[in-house]
Amino acid sequence: MTSSAPLYADGPDPYGFYGDFGGRFVAETLMPLILELEEAYQESRHDKAFRDELAYYQSDYIGRPNPLYYAERLTEELGGAKIYLKREDLNHTGAHKINNCIGQILLARKMGKKRIIAETGAGMHGVATATVAARFGMKCVIYMGATDIERQEPNVFRMRLLGAEVVPVTSGTGTLKDAMNEALRDWVTNVDDTFYIIGTVAGPHPYPAMVRDFQAVIGRETREQMLKKEGRLPDSLVACIGGGSNAMGLFGPMLNDSSVAMIGVEAGGHGIATGEHAASLNGGEPGVLHGNRTYLLQSDDGQIKDAHSVSAGLDYPGIGPEHAYLSTTGRVEYVSITDDEAIEAFKRCCHLEGIIPALESAHAIAHALKIAPQLPSDHLMVISLSGRGDKDMSSVAEYLKRNGEYVGVPGKEGNEDQHGTEENR
Amino acid sequence: MATRITQRFEALQQQNRAALVTFVMAGDPDPEGTLQVLKALADNGADVIELGMPFTDPMADGPAIQKATLRALEGGQTQRKTLDVVRRFRAENNTTPIVLMGYYNPIYRYGVDAFLADARQAGVDGLIVVDLPPEHDNELCLPARQADIDFIRLATPTTDAKRLPKVLENTSGFLYYVSVAGVTGARAPTPADVEAAVARIKTHTDLPVAVGFGIRTAEQARAIARFSDAVVVGSALVECVEKAATADEAAQQVAKLTSELAEGVRSARDVAAQ
């Protein structure tokens, strides 16, 4: 039945390429470090002790497996596909990011590294990195764009509480890509004792493969849980994409199940046509940045453009190379969702399911809102709820206020709206 | 065919002195100013000129070159304008080798074949592309060699004896030894460490070995020039441009520092011999 479909390999070719994408485009200083990392990673993949240890931390520290939850009211409201949410928001630290961090820090320890560095955008990867660094007693430095520090203050506080040093990055435009540049500059300077925990399925090989492997627990659990609940595989998977680690983790283990449709949702910002977005596949061109060839937002002269999204976690001008490859083969469909659509989906998830999703995950929900009503009731859809939305309160409040809506403290300015007054609370 | 770079190094070897290699950013302080700065370099003792191709995300560069990049991009510098300034410089100077230095993406976006053809035609002699290790020689290194453009590679303190042959394999023109692990313009190298590293590299290659990163003064240049084939100075020159109020002033300051550095490089082996 699936004999004609191409089989997707377990990883890239030996040079780190997925088709034309990927590779190891780094400065010579880093090459020996990356080759050493690749060796350690390949060794650990086949090491039973390493895998047992990883499984232990996944269950007892992260809290896995997390539920595949049937979103009954969302399903009823949309009147089409049967919708499940994969609850990565219930992990320790509140997002899928820790799946990868725990894996990488175990590798760092195995390699004898003492100091951890990472970049972060929304701060979730920074928090997850600071968390595992605290747990394993390692020094931790997080690079974060000055612009992002301002809009994600609670996460900055969390990282500092966890003992990490948060370094504001003012170079370039002070966002995630500049934080990544700064982390690379740190790594190139501190080559002996430092391990760089990259937070997404991008960067030089072996990072895209390694991060996908550590995130694949999402897809493996989903597959097993769906077989248990429904006796068959899901019909479609929907996940948001910045760099694309939660999507790759969900899709990866089912790429060769050809009956499973997969949709990656990029951040459309103000709309692709406006040029203010973070949709590298839908609005970018192939190029080379941060160690890999992939689709990038860039000018005709090859200068990298700033991404825009209401969600800081999707605000990156590139995308993981395996996604670029899966887009060219057509195995995964890549769409985009605007800021407005994401906020609307955010609100509906809160109201209908009592779950406050991360703004990133709200992009995936928004696409489900569009397509689920047209699908039959026996269509099984899984949405990756990659993280919880507590970190986004101020972004959402500001957005709603700008648009004349106000969800605030009763009795304070602006509360005379559909949410009721103090009297009928 | 011997390139301008090879010819220059052969000539300097006859004179028993190291080369002064200078780096400035194209488009900094502005397109016209760059031409003035290039002439100031060539007229005051620079033996080889590295000209930076600005890129928004200079991962391997320290603050001085990062800021120069931003100034250039804000002034509207493009790859085509960078080739233009080389062409104009070449119209008046047919001997000083020019090496374009930067990151791969602007070249990739331009189109490798088109870029090499235009670069060759403009009078470019070599390329240093920071994020293209030998693992990716098919991308640009081999096509550049085919087009008679030297591909100069960096070796670093992390490049061990096992890896060095791979780094050297398709390198031409000269080898650029990065004297400290880090970004451009950071801490100064320790001459004794660098001397040992250069000696080690020289057992693997006959190519000239240039040393750069963290060298700012005539004194430092003199120390390194005793035992290396070339001394590279970048951030200190870029800072001259940054501090200058006008392009004229930038060219004057660059001229002054270049002649001091050249004096340091040229006197290195006399001092050593005494």
Side-chain angles (χ1 to χ4, degrees), chain A residues 13 21 25 29 36 64 71 79 164 175 198 227 250 274 339-340 368:
Chain A
D13 75 14
F21 304 101
F25 296 89
T29 311
E36 182 196 2
R64 302 200 74 94
T175 57
I198 292 185
L227 284 172
L250 178 64
T274 66
D339 288 352
D340 291 350

Side-chain angles (χ1 to χ4, degrees), chain A residues 88-89 91 93-97 120-128 144 147-159 176 240 242 246 309-315 342-343 346 350 355-363 385-399:
Chain A
E88 293 299 309
D89 61 318
N91 294 340
T93 72
H96 71 291
K97 291 294 186 189
T120 197
M124 297 310 283
H125 175 57
V127 167
M144 189 169 184
T147 315
D148 289 332
I149 284 187
E150 232 166 83
R151 56 180 175 176
Q152 301 287 342
E153 208 188 321
N155 272 343
V156 176
F157 186 59
R158 290 168 80 193
M159 287 183 264
L176 177 55
C240 68
N246 90 90
S309 170
V310 68
S311 143
L314 303 181
D315 211 345
I343 294 278
F346 176 92
C350 292
I355 295 171
I356 301 177
L359 273 179
E360 291 79 8
S361 322
H363 284 72
L385 198 68
S386 54
R388 66 178 185 224
D390 307 49
K391 68 185 172 63
D392 294 315
M393 291 301 101
S394 65
S395 302
V396 175
E398 193 189 311
Y399 180 95

